[in-house]
Amino acid sequence: MDIRSNEPYWLIKNALPQSYPSLTKSISADILIIGAGITGALMAYKLIGEGKKIVMVDRRDICNGSTAASTSMLQYEIDVPLHKLIEQVGLTCAVSSYQNCENAIKEIRKIATSVGSKCGFKYMKSVYFTSIKKDLDFLRNEFKARQEHGFDVKWLSKEELEKIGLKAYGAIESKSGAVMDVYTLANDILKYCSKKGLEIYDRTSVEEIKTKNDKTVVKTKDGFTIEVDHVVHCTGYESTETVKEDIVKLKSTFALASEAFETIPKAFTERIYWNTDAPYLYFRSTDDNRIVMGGGDRDFKNAMRRDALLPKKEKELAKSFKKCFPEIEFIADYSWAGTFGETKDGLPYFGKPDAEKNEHYILGFGGNGITFSVMGMDAIVHSINKTPHPYLEYYKFRR
């Protein structure tokens, strides 16, 4: 599956930090991780810390799938608002999911520091706003739910938003947000892990996975085998090719990066934004004084149709930005498209789809893919060790 178009801003900004060989012989290890994006990198970091012998493969160059196309915004808010999520999955699961996403942002900062990453991690306030008057009651209900369950939130009126530079009717401001360059972080984690013993093979496609004598044998497209005790799938939206259960609806999404400002506009110095539209828009700044925005999602048909929409979507997104921030001149410099997914409850899937196979999945869809991946690290260790964990119950397959 082609899950992004060719020119994401992060790839152009960072070029190719390092490359790894493809697999040219049959090998064995304790665990194989399939997928060398941010999810695979975090999983490798966790398992290396557990003292496991880990091998990682990816069909592309490392970090060149969804990780390269990410806008790298970190939010504790899940795509399904808290007050709606409580109705769907119950109070305990809903509130703890929001809390665990909030804690995951802090964990990402710790990991970035421990590997010496230059990913530009920065805490930001997250502003969830509405430009539609009829959504005010919905947003106030969400504000009330978050307040009641202990989240540090503040209500911003229309007048207060105007002072920031945002044209909207109201907003929830949360302190728990952040931005970074996830492409750099994933590469830095993998470089760190490779020094600790992780074997990484890029441009290595998996063709077949079979169980043989209590071992899992993975065959590559070139005919080599990798014999392991466990396989961890960190393939994101491409998991639809290997998971039989219908768990995600794929969407095409679009993003723009502006030309660099001489000084970043005041509205973007300490805040990131997203709105109540369906599909929603999101906005952030970068460390080289650009503004990145995205949204305009469509149902995914195929990569060619997605990419053909890009010129039209570039104009639509730029127009939407002007409506929200009328005093800021947004001149698009880069645009790209990618594929992402939505689950019925906005929550991830962790664990084993098939109890008879030692194949484990971390599938963090939607706008919380990165924070869900942090949560998935712990879940999969417990899945491998066959020990209970709340995440394996909350986010199980066939729920």
Side-chain angles (χ1 to χ4, degrees), residues 87-306:
E87 294 173 4
Q88 281 187 255
V89 301
L91 181 65
T92 302
C93 178
V95 173
S96 65
S97 294
Y98 268 68
Q99 290 171 337
N100 291 324
C101 281
E102 190 171 38
N103 291 332
I105 295 173
K106 299 173 185 176
E107 184 64 22
I108 289 169
R109 184 177 184 276
K110 290 179 183 177
I111 293 170
T113 301
S114 72
V115 303
S117 179
K118 296 180 180 179
C119 65
F121 181 99
K122 181 182 178 182
Y123 283 114
M124 303 282 272
K125 296 174 183 177
S126 176
V127 177
Y128 183 34
F129 70 93
T130 181
S131 299
I132 306 169
K133 198 169 185 179
K134 68 179 180 64
D135 281 355
L136 266 175
D137 287 343
F138 163 87
L139 201 59
R140 287 190 183 279
N141 286 336
E142 179 64 8
F143 176 70
K144 182 180 178 182
R146 294 193 198 178
Q147 265 196 327
E148 285 179 352
H149 297 291
F151 294 98
D152 191 350
V153 291
K154 177 184 177 182
W155 181 261
L156 298 179
S157 67
K158 181 180 179 180
E159 293 72 26
E160 288 172 310
L161 292 169
E162 284 178 354
K163 290 178 182 178
I164 294 172
L166 173 62
K167 188 177 180 180
Y169 287 100
I172 302 169
E173 183 179 82
S174 303
K175 289 186 177 180
S176 297
V179 295
M180 64 174 181
D181 175 348
V182 70
Y183 179 79
T184 293
L185 177 61
N187 273 282
D188 288 344
I189 293 172
L190 291 176
K191 185 177 180 181
Y192 172 89
C193 290
S194 67
K195 292 179 180 178
K196 299 286 185 179
L198 172 67
E199 295 180 30
I200 303 172
Y201 300 97
D202 63 13
R203 303 197 177 214
T204 299
S205 296
V206 170
E207 190 170 72
E208 183 181 71
I209 302 176
K210 287 188 174 182
T211 300
K212 183 179 180 182
N213 299 328
D214 295 327
K215 290 283 186 178
T216 300
V217 181
V218 178
K219 184 180 178 182
T220 71
K221 188 176 180 180
D222 293 324
F224 302 108
T225 60
I226 308 170
E227 186 177 89
V228 292
D229 296 319
H230 298 271
V231 173
V232 182
H233 293 263
C234 300
T235 50
Y237 312 120
E238 292 176 303
S239 64
T240 55
E241 299 172 3
T242 55
V243 175
K244 294 179 181 178
E245 186 181 351
D246 185 14
I247 60 174
V248 64
K249 184 176 183 181
L250 294 183
K251 298 277 188 175
S252 295
T253 191
F254 306 88
L256 301 180
S258 74
E259 289 185 356
F261 292 84
E262 187 173 331
T263 304
I264 201 70
K266 183 181 177 181
F268 286 88
T269 56
E270 59 178 27
R271 293 178 176 89
I272 57 177
Y273 303 87
W274 62 305
N275 69 2
T276 60
D277 286 3
Y280 62 80
L281 301 169
Y282 44 92
F283 314 86
R284 60 157 292 187
S285 59
T286 67
D287 59 6
D288 59 347
N289 290 348
R290 300 176 189 269
I291 294 173
V292 172
M293 69 167 297
D297 305 340
R298 291 279 192 93
D299 288 342
F300 178 79
K301 302 297 183 184
N302 60 62
M304 289 183 65
R305 290 182 67 177
R306 177 199 65 202

Side-chain angles (χ1 to χ4, degrees), residues 31 47 50 52 230 360 379-388:
I31 299 169
L47 291 172
E50 298 281 316
K52 304 291 186 181
H230 298 271
H360 315 261
I380 297 307
V381 168
H382 283 272
S383 184
I384 289 170
N385 293 333
K386 297 181 179 180
T387 52

